[in-house]
Amino acid sequence: MPTIRVSMTDSQFKALSKIIYDRSGIHFPDAKKYILESRLTHRLQELDLEDFDQYVALLSMGPYQQDEFQEMFNRITINETSFFRNDAQLDVFEKQILPQLLEARAKTRRLRIWSAACSTGDEPFTLAILIHRTLGIRLSDWNIEILGTDISEKALNVALAGQYTNYSVRSTPKMVLDRYFKFDGRLYTLNEDIRKMVSFEKHNLKDRLAAKRHGIWDVIFCRNVLIYFDDAMKNQVIGMFHDQLAPDGTLFIGHSERIKDIAGKFEQMPIPQGFCYSKVGKMARIAA
Ligand SMILES: C[S@@+](CC[C@H](N)C(=O)[O-])C[C@H]1O[C@@H](n2cnc3c(N)ncnc32)[C@H](O)[C@@H]1O
């Protein structure tokens, strides 16, 4: 059945964008109305709804509300990602942060890494590959925990399947492709050794309690997500990362993301191209 575009009035947009913001912190400015309109039009048709007023009503009440939120986030989130995205930053992780951490955790041999808002898993799997090739046969001596979380169940299902298109691996070095993937002429399937290093869970960055339940992390990656939040939500999320990061831990954010909002809690580490942060005071503690 062809999709007939249902137009969204300004007041419907206002109501819907408020619901989305309250639930997830994702901020849709007026100029992005067309995104909601185009991505949800087909959903209205599937649900046999006449207009966005009915959709707003469905999200605001009724027994299907919860399921519909999930369905909506599957459609409105922007899941752009890839393996080895921003290799300069990954280089910093592999060559500087990881060796320091392995030394600092030599006694417990336990390392915990959270890839928050990981989309289809490309980022946590990339980190697993870097750790796998760094530790080599020593990997079995370590308890490495890598968790990938996202609000989109649809994106997480791709991660669980472990199969990727050419587009996802476009920045992956050939040696890595040959060693860690199997190509069947259409899809790249990630090796089991890497897949079993990462677990996935649905998590909304607004949910502080769930974050608390996951405990303390040595490294948190949260790249290319803060751009979708307003200042209030950014502060909330950064505060949560501050609570959940080990005193000597490292936070990586996207290279184009604003840092002013995290001042006071984190300070940028003096590593060119790293876009990584430590808790305020860590650098001074090391220098002392
Ligand atoms: C552009 S992708 C970034 C993926 C990966 N971090 C990277 O840099 O390649 C942004 C992801 O953030 C997720 N996201 C947006 N709002 C979220 C929220 N409130 N809680 C959890 N994930 C969220 C989206 O579903 C999407 O998969």
Side-chain angles (χ1 to χ4, degrees):
M1 196 185 358
T3 303
I4 301 155
R5 180 103 172 218
V6 180
S7 59
M8 188 186 282
T9 64
D10 288 347
S11 66
Q12 287 166 344
F13 170 70
K14 224 170 154 185
L16 192 55
S17 55
K18 180 173 182 323
I19 290 177
I20 293 168
Y21 178 75
D22 289 347
R23 264 298 161 124
S24 66
I26 302 173
H27 171 61
F28 277 92
D30 293 352
K32 295 274 170 69
K33 184 175 107 173
Y34 74 95
I35 295 185
L36 289 187
E37 201 178 67
S38 63
R39 292 195 173 199
L40 293 174
T41 278
H42 188 61
R43 185 63 186 151
L44 258 57
Q45 210 167 326
E46 283 172 355
L47 293 168
D48 217 7
L49 300 179
E50 277 168 22
D51 56 31
F52 280 101
D53 282 333
Q54 292 187 355
Y55 193 60
V56 166
L58 176 75
L59 288 169
S60 311
M61 61 192 101
Y64 305 114
Q65 183 198 25
Q66 202 54 37
D67 292 347
E68 192 50 36
F69 267 111
Q70 187 54 65
E71 194 59 49
M72 182 178 69
F73 286 125
N74 286 347
R75 289 165 195 244
I76 65 168
T77 51
I78 293 163
N79 308 116
E80 175 68 28
T81 187
S82 59
F83 281 81
F84 287 83
R85 185 176 192 179
N86 194 335
D87 59 346
Q89 207 178 11
L90 295 169
D91 223 44
V92 168
F93 169 75
E94 185 182 22
K95 310 260 167 59
Q96 301 191 48
I97 305 299
L98 183 59
Q100 279 168 18
L101 262 178
L102 292 175
E103 206 181 309
R105 303 288 184 270
K107 269 210 178 102
T108 59
R109 298 214 179 136
R110 184 169 190 228
L111 205 58
R112 304 192 76 229
I113 298 174
W114 180 17
S115 170
C118 71
S119 186
T120 47
D122 311 33
E123 180 178 271
F125 281 141
T126 299
L127 300 175
I129 290 171
L130 298 180
I131 293 171
H132 189 277
R133 77 179 181 191
T134 298
L135 282 174
I137 53 163
R138 290 179 296 147
L139 187 67
S140 55
D141 298 336
W142 281 78
N143 176 1
I144 307 278
E145 224 180 301
I146 306 173
L147 176 69
T149 62
D150 202 277
I151 199 171
S152 166
E153 227 167 53
K154 192 173 166 208
L156 291 174
N157 283 338
V158 174
L160 290 172
Q163 291 194 308
Y164 294 90
T165 61
N166 202 29
Y167 185 75
S168 301
V169 298
R170 66 194 182 281
S171 312
T172 308
K174 172 139 187 0
M175 264 171 58
V176 171
L177 274 183
D178 292 346
R179 179 162 174 206
Y180 292 106
F181 292 83
K182 215 174 251 132
F183 184 52
D184 66 3
R186 197 174 71 85
L187 291 172
Y188 290 85
T189 303
L190 192 57
N191 283 0
E192 198 51 40
D193 287 351
I194 299 300
R195 288 177 63 185
K196 68 183 186 207
M197 287 176 72
V198 185
S199 51
F200 292 96
E201 203 176 300
K202 191 171 69 177
H203 174 250
N204 181 347
L205 285 168
K206 238 190 131 85
D207 189 346
R208 216 168 167 141
L209 273 181
K212 226 182 174 69
R213 191 169 39 80
H214 284 127
I216 302 297
W217 300 95
D218 299 307
V219 180
I220 298 176
F221 269 77
C222 184
R223 301 187 302 166
N224 310 302
V225 192
L226 298 174
I227 36 167
Y228 301 110
F229 300 153
D230 68 353
D231 285 353
M233 175 67 179
K234 273 185 205 164
N235 279 328
Q236 205 176 309
V237 173
I238 292 300
M240 181 262 283
F241 288 155
H242 190 263
D243 292 347
Q244 301 312 128
L245 192 68
D248 61 347
T250 306
L251 168 69
F252 283 85
I253 63 171
H255 69 283
S256 60
E257 285 165 319
R258 300 288 302 277
I259 58 157
K260 77 171 169 57
D261 309 300
I262 65 179
K265 291 211 179 289
F266 286 98
E267 56 196 351
Q268 188 159 14
M269 296 169 78
I271 304 177
Q273 307 300 316
F275 309 103
C276 53
Y277 295 78
S278 58
K279 286 187 173 187
V280 164
K282 179 191 161 191
M283 306 316 266
R285 286 195 296 276
I286 290 171

